Amino acid sequence: MKKLIISHMSFKFNKQKNYFFHNANVTFESGKIYFIQGKNGVGKTTFFSILQGTIPQNALLSGSVTFNNKEYVIKNNTMNAELSCHIKTMLQDSNKMVINTMTVEENVKLAQLPLYPRLKPLASSTHVPTMMRNFNIDPSLPVKQLSGGQKQILAIIMTLQKPTQVLLLDEPTAALDDKNSHMVIQFLETLAQQLDLIVIIITHDKELTDTYAQHRKIVIKKEDEEIRTIE
Amino acid sequence: MFETMLIIAEQALMHFPLILGAYISVSLMKLPDLSIESAYVFGAFLATKMVPSLSALPSALILIIVSCASLLGGACVGAVSGLLTQKARIPHLLSSIITIGIFHGITQLVAGVYVSLSGYTNVLAWDIIPLHPELPILFMIFVACSLATVYFFETELGYSLAAFGNNPSFFAHYGISTTYVFMLGIIIANACAGLSGYLYAQSNGFADISMGFGKLLLCVTALILGKMIATKSLSLIAPTSGLFAYFTLQQLLLKVGFDLRYFTMVQALVIVAILIAQHRKKEDLHIDHLGV
């Protein structure tokens, strides 16, 4: 089992008096999905940015992150690049992560391309996860014919085509109806277990978290004008 | 009738690399690539300027060298407009306009406003078709370009260019270099335009600083006509059929006594008529913000 341990993490903008997080300690384990909830502006997305290594300028960040038993101490406001490359963030709008005019299979192949695409033929066949069929996603279908939830699932699969151990999703169900929201979360649950992934989801949907958060629900909330992370 | 068909074929084949370039940058990558007109002129000037110094060489070798020079000339124009967009963060329409300005000056500085090829062997000529000696070699270039393009569209890079047009922010998310894809796409497109410029200059016997005027309108008209004929993406059929349709229309108008000085007006009207008709029919031809 892999663990992502956040230790004594504090974050604030230079000009601000109060911390977004102060001395926060959280542990995430692989094979499970985690939900992060909190009011707008409490620092949910900032927390993702920190993990991804895109820390805003003019900020003060300290603490350490332990991943696979290796501790990365945050120095000079910079997250270790070796750690950040294991972590992938999904965009809120799945339309920005897919090519609507191409088929599902072509999209998966494109997501596998190297940093510099070559003058060699695109892979003739590719492994499209069988679990996609459980969600009625036919690899030969054009992406524009998929539902919002199916597109979200496709975008997740495409993201996982490059080595990933931690998947961050910022409100993945915000634009989806109930049926599609449940479909995406069920997919993420299966994925976390099958691929031994750490999945962390920011969501405002209380009904969704009540249904799926069997293990732990992490709430970021404002208390005494200070932001704290509570397990 | 047969003679008219040969003229249409000759004109279309001469402009084939240009339409390929426009297809890549305008249709696939969805870029307002005005610099293609500059690439057409600069490619033509660079190649024609080299012809006198190569006159002692065999024709086939001259053709290969000057074709490479014209491709290089066009590629330089593409590289400048691409760098302005990617590195100076200037919107591509503006970088294209700036590039036109830059290369209008550079071309005149390097080669003047007019380069004549009279007195030198026409390396495109091969006298097996009377009155149209350039047709066989133009056809060979057409076949070579088509085969290369069909292969290119099946490669990782070819698919990437089509993906760029649909979603330019796609690559950053999957760890693929957007700058690399953009630069290569625009360089290849402009290099093609440069080659076309040389073919036109060689065929007419001169290169002129104003020869690029209206070439993008030609491309857009041909691409829209092609879109009506063939809708499949990543296909050569649309730009090729559009190009032949364009020159057929031009020859038909000439046959009925139309003055070709006003042909740009006809092109513009054709585009407007097609777009309005599609809008009225509410047909989905995937016509986007660039109309192609």
Side-chain angles (χ1 to χ4, degrees), chain A residues 89 96-97 115 118 122 162, chain B residues 154 156 167 173-174 177:
Chain A
T89 310
K96 290 181 179 164
M97 298 177 65
L115 177 63
R118 296 155 294 191
L122 197 68
K162 299 272 168 77
Chain B
E154 293 299 321
E156 293 178 353
N167 183 359
H173 186 76
Y174 296 103
S177 170

Side-chain angles (χ1 to χ4, degrees), chain A residues 89 95-101 106 110 113 115-122 158-159 162, chain B residues 151-152 154-157 159-160 162-163 166-167 169-170 173-177 180-181 286:
Chain A
T89 310
N95 277 313
K96 290 181 179 164
M97 298 177 65
V98 295
I99 305 297
N100 276 310
T101 52
E106 283 170 337
L110 278 171
L113 291 187
L115 177 63
Y116 302 112
R118 296 155 294 191
L119 269 176
K120 65 179 257 190
L122 197 68
M158 287 165 68
T159 303
K162 299 272 168 77
Chain B
Y151 175 78
F152 178 71
E154 293 299 321
T155 63
E156 293 178 353
L157 195 57
Y159 269 90
S160 301
N166 190 273
N167 183 359
S169 57
F170 174 85
H173 186 76
Y174 296 103
I176 304 162
S177 170
Y180 174 82
V181 170
H286 310 305

Side-chain angles (χ1 to χ4, degrees), chain B residues 218-265:
Chain B
L218 179 161
C219 294
V220 171
T221 313
L223 289 172
I224 288 181
L225 287 169
K227 197 98 184 175
M228 287 183 68
I229 300 165
T231 53
K232 192 175 177 285
S233 63
L234 271 188
S235 159
L236 266 184
I237 298 166
T240 313
S241 52
L243 190 62
F244 276 86
Y246 173 92
F247 284 107
T248 307
L249 176 70
Q250 193 184 55
Q251 288 303 315
L252 284 176
L253 288 173
L254 202 60
K255 284 274 173 210
V256 296
F258 187 82
D259 188 339
L260 285 185
R261 279 186 298 172
Y262 311 119
F263 190 58
T264 50
M265 182 184 72

Side-chain angles (χ1 to χ4, degrees), chain A residues 2-230:
Chain A
K2 287 171 274 188
K3 281 187 180 176
L4 180 74
I5 305 164
I6 312 286
S7 309
H8 309 294
M9 184 181 277
S10 298
F11 175 83
K12 79 177 190 81
F13 286 105
N14 282 346
K15 287 182 181 171
Q16 279 182 335
K17 187 181 159 194
N18 297 325
Y19 278 89
F20 267 76
F21 327 106
H22 191 53
N23 213 15
N25 294 289
V26 195
T27 301
F28 300 99
E29 293 172 353
S30 62
K32 297 173 184 172
I33 59 171
Y34 292 86
F35 294 98
I36 293 183
Q37 284 190 315
K39 288 179 183 170
N40 287 338
V42 296
K44 302 185 298 292
T45 307
T46 307
F47 177 63
F48 272 15
S49 302
I50 291 168
L51 288 181
Q52 186 71 85
T54 50
I55 302 159
Q57 294 206 327
N58 306 321
L60 206 65
L61 178 69
S62 62
S64 71
V65 180
T66 307
F67 186 62
N68 285 347
N69 300 321
K70 194 171 174 183
E71 190 181 13
Y72 301 91
V73 179
I74 298 165
K75 289 176 189 165
N76 304 325
N77 272 359
T78 315
M79 182 64 80
N80 188 287
E82 187 190 325
L83 171 67
S84 297
C85 75
H86 295 296
I87 301 170
K88 295 275 159 56
T89 310
M90 301 288 299
L91 304 176
Q92 279 186 11
D93 183 2
S94 57
N95 277 313
K96 290 181 179 164
M97 298 177 65
V98 295
I99 305 297
N100 276 310
T101 52
M102 294 188 186
T103 65
V104 169
E105 194 177 0
E106 283 170 337
N107 269 270
V108 176
K109 286 178 189 174
L110 278 171
Q112 295 169 343
L113 291 187
L115 177 63
Y116 302 112
R118 296 155 294 191
L119 269 176
K120 65 179 257 190
L122 197 68
S124 55
S125 66
T126 191
H127 172 69
V128 177
T130 44
M131 66 178 105
M132 278 172 77
R133 298 209 183 261
N134 300 340
F135 295 93
N136 292 325
I137 303 175
D138 179 355
S140 61
L141 268 185
V143 171
K144 62 185 165 199
Q145 289 182 18
L146 301 183
S147 71
Q150 287 173 322
K151 270 188 199 175
Q152 191 69 254
I153 288 171
L154 172 64
I156 293 165
I157 285 172
M158 287 165 68
T159 303
L160 296 177
Q161 296 302 310
K162 299 272 168 77
T164 306
Q165 304 198 43
V166 181
L167 193 61
L168 309 176
L169 298 102
D170 193 351
E171 297 190 51
T173 57
L176 304 179
D177 59 18
D178 280 355
K179 189 183 160 203
N180 276 291
S181 299
H182 284 279
M183 182 168 81
V184 170
I185 302 297
Q186 280 166 13
F187 172 74
L188 285 166
E189 262 195 337
T190 318
L191 205 67
Q193 286 161 11
Q194 287 190 358
L195 302 181
D196 200 28
L197 281 178
I198 297 170
V199 178
I200 310 171
I201 304 164
I202 291 175
T203 182
H204 287 293
D205 192 335
K206 197 170 177 306
E207 190 245 320
L208 213 61
T209 50
D210 288 345
T211 312
Y212 293 98
Q214 304 149 350
H215 308 289
R216 237 180 279 176
K217 181 158 64 179
I218 293 157
V219 181
I220 298 178
K221 68 175 186 181
K222 203 162 192 168
E223 199 173 85
D224 300 325
E225 293 187 2
E226 191 177 83
I227 310 299
R228 294 204 297 178
T229 311
I230 301 166

Side-chain angles (χ1 to χ4, degrees), chain B residues 9-10 12-18 20 59-60 62-68 70-71 122-126 133-150 191-200 202-203 236 240 243:
Chain B
E10 197 172 53
L13 296 181
M14 207 183 295
H15 287 89
F16 182 68
L18 176 69
L20 272 187
S59 293
I62 297 174
L63 180 61
I64 292 167
I65 294 171
V66 292
S67 296
C68 290
S70 63
L71 286 166
N122 181 357
V123 290
L124 287 179
W126 186 13
E134 290 149 4
L135 211 45
I137 290 178
L138 286 175
F139 184 73
M140 281 190 254
I141 292 171
F142 165 74
V143 173
C145 287
S146 302
L147 291 176
T149 312
V150 167
C192 290
L195 174 62
S196 203
Y198 163 66
L199 297 179
Y200 184 85
Q202 181 67 74
S203 180
L236 266 184
T240 313
L243 190 62

Side-chain angles (χ1 to χ4, degrees), chain B residues 257-279:
Chain B
F258 187 82
D259 188 339
L260 285 185
R261 279 186 298 172
Y262 311 119
F263 190 58
T264 50
M265 182 184 72
V266 174
Q267 292 174 53
L269 292 176
V270 166
I271 294 173
V272 171
I274 292 172
L275 296 183
I276 289 176
Q278 295 309 327
H279 183 66

